Amino acid sequence: MWKLTLPSYCLTANRLACHTPSTAAQTTVSCAGQGLGHCRPSQFRSPFSSSAQTTGRAGSGTRNSQLAKMGRGGVAFASYAGQPLGAGFEGSSSPRICILGGGFGGLYTAVRLESLMWPHSRRPQITLIDQNEQFVFKPLLYELINGGATPEEVAPMFADLLAPMNSTSFVQGSVHSVHSDDSTNGAHSSNSSGGTITLADGQRLQYDWLVLALGSSTSFFGIPGVKELALPFNDFKDAMKVLKRVEEIEARSGGEPAGVVVVGAGYAGVELATTVAERLGRRAAVQLVSAGGDILEGMPPGQIKAARSMLQDLRITTVTNAMVSSICEDQQQPSSAEASTSYSPASPPAKQQVHVKLPGNIKKTIPADMVLWTAGSSPASHAARNLKLPFETNQKGALLTDRNLRVLKQQRVFALGDVAGSEIEAETAHLPPTAQVAFQQADYVAWNLWSAINSRPLLPFKYQHLGDMMSLGRVNGAVTLPLPVSQQLASGLQSGPLSSLLGAAGISLQPDETGKGLTLQGPLAGFLRRAAYLYRQPTDQHKLRVGRDWLQQAAEEAQRMLSGSRQN
């Protein structure tokens, strides 16, 4: 009898079909229409224990019996006989795993490693290193602006998240350099250290295995004035600065609406523009600047339709085909230094001027009280090239990895998330720098570390797109599921008697070029988005805390709405 742990993206109707670390092979588990309790895996034995990410179990089994089978080498890899084996570990002490970066990739790798079933002598000592003391759940940064979540919910302390874990510790610090003793080009003793990490304060940490999950940083493209005057929106500190500026605009009394310019019309730009516009209302005139001919270029049609509708409802002006050439302060206004010392609710901060180039070499100046920059990001390994990282990178600055997310020419170094760039460009060229990718890669990296330490075959990463989610204000959202929808069916429903009913329910059928695309929008999509992110919280304890607070908030919101309807 077996206990089976599967990620959520393996569940489809009455069958489980996936290619993931939890299955260790291209495996189909038939449930015969009887539910997950009757599933019978036939090809593998999984080292994954029951964890926060468990979505199904098959049969039963004891932890001791699983460990005993694993200790005897009982993990079956019939479909991966040709895959490279891990380096193995023969030291007398526990292997040391250092993870650089505490974003989605780094933290969730640590959580996943904790949940694995390890032979007693090989349970690793895991050290998570990040320059900040807080983990940031980036998709919820918009909730900080609209009051939908508290700072503690969006950015919990690493110390609190890791407290229940027995094998993982946290070190706050910035990386100065990495020295690798590991290379596939030379001899490597299984008893030697993988390398040494030197932090900015001089502290040195030795590792046997290294995980690079440094994330991304905002890219300003060298445009004059952008770095100095625009507010980026990439991390918790950025979001708090934006929140402070929004509160300053709210504190104004009378006068013309404040000018807010959001540069970048991808997901981040659209979500931020709608969030700010909804909160400020008529206190601000929001403009969304896109370098392309439309918003959300390349995204699902249903998402674009939902975003356009919300932008129109919130009176957000879209400026397309506009390239920002520079940002400067309005010379008729006080300087930034004067504004910062003399500011009061009655005296707004210095105005800025956003200079853009339009088609036909037309130049335009957009006045603004606040400029928000979401126009691009780059791997942190690219922005920090002064770091002494002895690893190869591609043109974008991402670390080159093989199919198994192992850094090229390194036996004991893995990379994931925004800093990982596979040498097989065709397989990873279109992977977005999203939490969804990092979630899935964390599973693979954790599995491959387990495999490497136990001399088992490594698994090649296979990305499975689960859909797209977008916030469109405090309550509304848009969620596109990659479900097959024929163009004929979509056209028939949109023109038939069910069209108004589907619209009222917030359901849109907008298939993309692959014939997929069921989009939910409005409050229903907003609820599904929040529920998905609640499920994806890093630990059970934090999940319960956030869920309790959100339920209380929903109850208060419902009570306010009920009171308002009674008064009317």
Side-chain angles (χ1 to χ4, degrees), residues 216 276 280 318 354 365 445 475 477 513 522 560:
S216 63
V276 171
L280 291 178
T318 303
V354 181
T365 299
V445 169
V475 176
E513 62 275 5
R560 282 197 299 268

Side-chain angles (χ1 to χ4, degrees), residues 20 29 38 44 61 63 75 81 85 119 147 178 227 236 258 287 292 310 366 373 381 397 413 426 454-455 463 552:
T20 72
V29 185
H38 296 272
F44 65 94
R63 181 181 179 90
V75 181
L85 292 176
V178 175
K227 185 175 182 179
F236 178 71
Q287 298 189 62
M310 185 57 64
I366 306 174
W373 187 264
S381 53
V413 183
N454 292 284
S455 299
Y463 174 65
Q552 182 179 354

Side-chain angles (χ1 to χ4, degrees), residues 213-233:
L214 297 170
S216 63
S217 58
T218 302
S219 179
F220 300 107
F221 306 107
I223 300 174
V226 173
K227 185 175 182 179
E228 295 78 14
L229 299 175
L231 294 177
F233 198 79

Side-chain angles (χ1 to χ4, degrees), residues 465-488:
H465 187 62
L466 308 180
D468 300 276
M469 297 189 295
M470 174 173 54
S471 169
L472 292 174
R474 184 182 175 92
V475 176
N476 296 295
V479 176
T480 296
L481 304 176
L483 300 177
V485 178
S486 69
Q487 189 65 51
Q488 183 179 2

Side-chain angles (χ1 to χ4, degrees), residues 78-112:
S79 298
Y80 283 97
Q83 291 299 315
L85 292 176
F89 185 78
E90 300 178 4
S92 58
S93 60
S94 299
R96 299 160 297 184
I97 298 176
C98 282
I99 302 175
L100 299 185
F104 284 111
L107 177 62
Y108 283 69
T109 297
V111 171
R112 203 57 167 149

Side-chain angles (χ1 to χ4, degrees), residues 64 85 121 169 180 435 568:
N64 290 336
L85 292 176
S121 62
S169 59
S180 175
N568 294 334

